[in-house]
Each structure stands twice: as structure tokens, then as C-alpha cells.
Amino acid sequence: MMKRALWQGLLAGTTGVLAMTLGEKVEQRVTGRPDSHVPARTLERLTGMREYSGRQPVPVNLAMHVGQGALLGILRSVMSHAGLRGPWSSGKFAVVRITSDQILENATGVGAPPQTWPRRELVVDLLHKAVYAFATGAVADALAARSGPGPGQRHAAMRPGRHPDVGPLPRGRSGV
């Protein structure tokens, strides 16, 4: 399962980044909002690279933007293979995506906690991260579904919900 989750997650995450980026470009054309250089600044701080003032190098910005999204796609793929699929799981994953950004940006001193942002900026960021999460989830779920139901789905088929009288799947059937 883990080898499949790795390559499928990279594919799903990259697809999610592409969907998010396309949405961002459309939104920027409509609203006039400029490009964000926070991804590049974060990567510069994380890696000890030379820091630039003002406009950041596009390749550095893209490396962080695409790289972080692709790597997080692996987690969404693992979720899908475990049986955590569909919109509910993509919603949970959106929180993971936002949290990942915030940890990296705040730990490096590049960003500030979202509750301090102007509301419009916060709404736009949350919307774009949701697009990423749901696009990534759709691809990860479709790829994982080719392997059949995940262990969680097989367990739920025995009796939906959490019940003390329903034990775990027999060893070897859980996929772990």
C-alpha cells in the first residue's frame, strides 16, 4: 500500500496544486490581488538560502508552492488507502493543508497567525486551500479506489460506526 500511496499522493498533490494555482490566477485577475511571495520567503528561511527583499524569485516560489502541495498529497493518499475517502475526508485534509502552511510560515517568522489577517485575505486563502484539498482528494480517492475498499471501509461494512463488540479486521486484511 505505501508504495502506491507515495506515487499516487505525489500525483494527487501536484494535481491539487495545479487546480489551486489556476483558481488563484483567475481570482487575482478578478480582484487585482498581487502574487504572494510568502512561499519563497518560507523556503529561503527553511533552507538557509539567500533571502531577497521585495519580489521573490519565481522558481523558489514555485518550488515551495508545488513541493509542499505534492508532499502533502502523500498524506491524502494514505488517508484514501486507509478508507478515509470522500468530501468529509477532503474537508479534514483542508485543515491539514492550512495547518502545514501556518506551522512553516509562523515558525520561520515569515507569516502571522491567520486570526490577525484581514478577513478578506483569510477568506481568499481558505478558499484556495479548500480547492487544493478537494482536488487532491478527488484524485487520491479515485486512484486508491482502484485497489478496492480500504481497511476502514471493510471494517465499516461489518457494522457501520464504532461499536465495542466489533473487533478489528483479521490480520493480513487490514492493509497495514
Side-chain angles (χ1 to χ4, degrees):
M1 171 181 95
M2 292 311 283
K3 278 187 182 179
R4 281 192 309 268
L6 177 66
W7 74 264
Q8 290 176 1
L10 290 171
L11 178 62
T14 301
T15 303
V17 169
L18 179 60
M20 177 176 66
T21 303
L22 289 173
E24 286 171 337
K25 294 305 173 191
V26 169
E27 173 265 319
Q28 287 175 312
R29 283 210 147 172
V30 170
T31 66
R33 184 177 64 84
D35 286 339
S36 170
H37 298 284
V38 171
R41 288 188 174 101
T42 302
L43 184 58
E44 289 166 352
R45 286 279 173 100
L46 287 170
T47 61
M49 294 170 62
R50 176 176 175 235
E51 294 185 35
Y52 295 87
S53 60
R55 186 168 173 79
Q56 299 296 298
V58 172
V60 177
N61 219 35
L62 281 174
M64 183 65 176
H65 187 67
V66 174
Q68 183 182 12
L71 289 174
L72 283 172
I74 297 169
L75 175 62
R76 184 60 179 86
S77 181
V78 169
M79 290 171 66
S80 296
H81 279 279
L84 299 169
R85 299 178 188 164
W88 181 256
S89 294
S90 291
K92 291 189 286 186
F93 181 64
V95 174
V96 170
R97 177 64 172 95
I98 293 160
T99 302
S100 172
D101 274 1
Q102 290 309 303
I103 289 170
L104 296 174
E105 293 168 13
N106 283 268
T108 57
V110 171
Q115 63 270 24
T116 66
W117 299 3
R119 291 295 163 238
R120 179 184 164 114
E121 190 177 327
L122 179 60
V123 168
V124 167
D125 193 57
L126 293 175
L127 175 66
H128 291 310
K129 295 309 187 298
V131 167
Y132 163 81
F134 282 83
T136 300
V139 173
D141 290 350
L143 291 171
R146 298 184 333 181
S147 300
Q153 292 166 312
R154 290 193 303 272
H155 188 274
M158 294 179 351
R159 185 170 169 203
R162 297 177 82 178
H163 302 282
D165 60 328
V166 178
L169 294 174
R171 289 192 186 273
R173 297 227 25 217
S174 67
V176 178

